[in-house]
């Protein structure tokens, strides 16, 4: 064999061997974990997006940084998560130092925009709690930043993922009631859950944008998703009739309150070990009181709200939110050209209920049909687990449950428009608030 031929053959064999070895080494090497940072280490961040994420997806991701304005709380969060990453009270310092692939935003609603925008500018994709933000200017900042940076924002609408809501989506898309013409949607927060919003930072409009934004953004997103259209015009009413100044006595917070023996809303936060560790033990750093008085006179959000929404596809919606109901849950009904689809979803009540959600379909001509869906899963009816899986192990999305910037914007803009309508006494067009224009059929 000629030397040249021998060299070519042995060289090819060696190259093939190296390629095979490299491929084998690559296949055997541990998969690179997604580098995740979190800003906002409160109850929601440490639970929904901390402990639970590590338990379910710790083989795919790792926390590389935690940030909070409260130095005690961020150190508490690190211990509760059981991680070894650095902690920060300076957001820019964290982003420059740890360079995460993904930033989770779980701060006070009104600050979401600054962390979402800066996070994308630092090169991270964003996972943000709802609402995406609290006013139209901040909403536009996020829209512009996503286009400018090429990064992506995911908004965590866990309600989309619970089985009975998915079933409603399926049935509406299948046309069982024909063309949808209107919807009635009424949400009830009980005197335990509802009152808690008036204890916390949510009680101030400057922080939460009001419950029309903080809480109802969930509900408006469901409507947008179910109806497969964008909201076009909003008219609303709202008042503070129950909490805040509507009581004869008040104090700063529950623990030292002289009225605790006669106040039905007295709540001992120290009986909750988790909340005590996160908030009570660290209130010396920033003065935030987790057990604030529900009768404080600085409360400036509404506790009863009624909203009329006209959609681009001409569906009309009547929505309401009550925050001092004796039970918790909601009633939803869709009216169509061929019938009616409705449900009364009971989330908490003083009587016993079987562990299923019930949907009723009544055709205009024919017998009604009852569909029962088990609801014994934890975490918003199993929605939390499914949402986290879609974010950290994304796969097929046949029901379009994954939500991005447009979804986040269109949901919070309904609440923002409703707030403006209450203040002005006039209807508000969604298309006047940002550069996003309502579409009859969602893209």
């Amino acid at each position: 064999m000629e030397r040249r031929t021998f060299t070519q053959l042995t060289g090819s064999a060696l190259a093939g061997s190296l390629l095979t070895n490299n491929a084998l080494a690559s296949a055997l090497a541990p998969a690179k974990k997604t580098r995740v940072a979190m800003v906002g280490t409160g109850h929601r961040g440490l639970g929904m997006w901390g402990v639970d994420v590590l338990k379910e997806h710790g083989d795919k991701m790792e926390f590389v940084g935690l940030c909070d304005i409260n130095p005690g709380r961020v150190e508490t969060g690190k211990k509760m998560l059981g991680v070894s990453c650095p902690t920060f009270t300076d957001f820019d310092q964290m982003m420059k130092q740890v360079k995460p692939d993904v930033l989770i935003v779980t701060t006070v609603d009104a600050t979401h925009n600054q962390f979402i925008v800066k996070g994308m500018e630092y090169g991270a994709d964003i996972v943000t709690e709802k609402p995406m933000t609290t006013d139209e200017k901040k909403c536009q900042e996020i829209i512009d930043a996503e286009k400018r940076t090429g990064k992506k924002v995911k908004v965590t609408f866990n309600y989309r993922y619970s089985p009975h809501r998915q079933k409603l989506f399926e049935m509406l898309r299948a046309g069982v009631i024909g063309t949808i013409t209107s919807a009635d949607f009424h949400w009830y927060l009980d005197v335990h859950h509802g009152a808690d919003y008036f204890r916390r930072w949510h009680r101030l409009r400057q922080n939460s944008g009001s419950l029309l934004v903080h809480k109802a953004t969930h509900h408006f997103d469901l409507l947008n998703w179910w109806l497969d259209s964008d909201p076009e015009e909003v008219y609303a009413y709202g008042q503070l009739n129950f909490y805040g100044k509507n009581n004869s006595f008040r104090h700063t917070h529950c623990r030292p309150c002289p009225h605790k023996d006669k106040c039905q809303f007295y709540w001992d936060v120290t009986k909750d070990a988790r909340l005590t560790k996160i908030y009570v033990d660290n209130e010396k750093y920033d003065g935030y009181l987790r057990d604030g008085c529900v009768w404080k006179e600085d409360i400036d959000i509404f506790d009863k709200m009624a909203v009329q929404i006209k959609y681009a596809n001409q569906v009309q919606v009547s929505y309401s939110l009550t925050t001092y109901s004796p039970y918790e849950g909601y009633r939803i009904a869709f009216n169509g050209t061929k019938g009616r689809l409705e449900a009364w979803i009971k989330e908490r009540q003083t009587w016993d209920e079987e562990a299923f959600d019930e949907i009723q379909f009544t055709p205009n001509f024919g017998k009604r049909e009852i569909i029962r869906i088990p609801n014994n899963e934890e975490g918003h009816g199993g929605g939390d687990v499914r949402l986290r899986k879609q974010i950290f192990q994304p796969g097929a999305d046949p029901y379009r449950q994954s939500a991005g910037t447009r979804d986040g914007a269109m949901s919070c803009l309904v609440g923002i428009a409703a707030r403006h309508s209450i203040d002005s006494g006039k209807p508000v067009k969604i298309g006047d608030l940002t550069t996003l224009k309502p579409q009859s059929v969602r893209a």
Side-chain angles (χ1 to χ4, degrees), residues 87-221:
T87 60
F88 304 84
T89 55
D90 185 311
F91 176 74
D92 292 282
Q93 182 184 358
M94 178 179 76
M95 296 302 290
K96 291 174 183 177
Q97 182 174 321
V98 307
K99 297 179 173 60
D101 303 314
V102 173
L103 172 69
I104 299 177
V105 179
T106 52
T107 60
V108 169
D109 299 345
T111 63
H112 283 184
N113 65 302
Q114 59 181 285
F115 299 117
I116 292 172
V117 171
K118 277 189 175 183
M120 288 191 285
E121 290 174 344
Y122 278 115
D125 288 315
I126 307 298
V127 173
T128 182
E129 260 296 338
K130 60 81 203 165
M132 189 173 77
T133 190
T134 55
D135 70 40
E136 63 271 33
K137 292 181 180 178
K138 294 174 181 179
C139 191
Q140 189 66 56
E141 289 175 8
I142 295 170
I143 295 167
D144 294 341
E146 188 177 54
K147 290 180 180 178
R148 184 175 68 251
T149 63
K151 308 310 290 184
K152 293 297 179 185
V153 177
K154 292 183 179 179
V155 186
T156 58
F157 289 121
N158 50 352
Y159 278 12
R160 290 187 180 194
Y161 290 81
S162 57
H164 80 268
R165 297 184 182 106
Q166 180 178 304
K167 184 63 176 178
L168 285 169
F169 179 90
E170 290 181 71
M171 295 180 74
L172 291 169
R173 295 288 76 73
V176 297
I177 61 170
T179 301
I180 306 168
T181 57
S182 66
D184 308 305
F185 195 10
H186 305 290
W187 202 287
Y188 313 98
L189 292 171
D190 68 20
V191 288
H192 306 289
H193 187 192
D196 214 34
Y197 291 111
F198 295 84
R199 291 189 183 99
R200 297 179 281 165
W201 53 264
H202 308 73
R203 74 180 188 275
L204 300 179
R205 187 187 289 202
Q206 67 184 34
N207 292 333
S208 65
S210 81
L211 292 181
L212 282 165
V213 178
H214 174 81
K215 182 63 180 175
T217 189
H218 259 320
H219 314 153
F220 299 142
D221 175 69

Side-chain angles (χ1 to χ4, degrees), residues 191 195 198 239-247 264-265 294-295 303-304 323-325:
V191 288
F198 295 84
Q239 290 184 325
L240 179 65
N241 281 168
F242 188 83
Y243 300 105
K245 61 182 180 299
N246 298 290
N247 195 52
Q264 291 181 301
F265 288 86
V294 301
W295 310 121
D303 56 22
K304 69 172 187 181
T323 62
Y324 43 88
S325 173

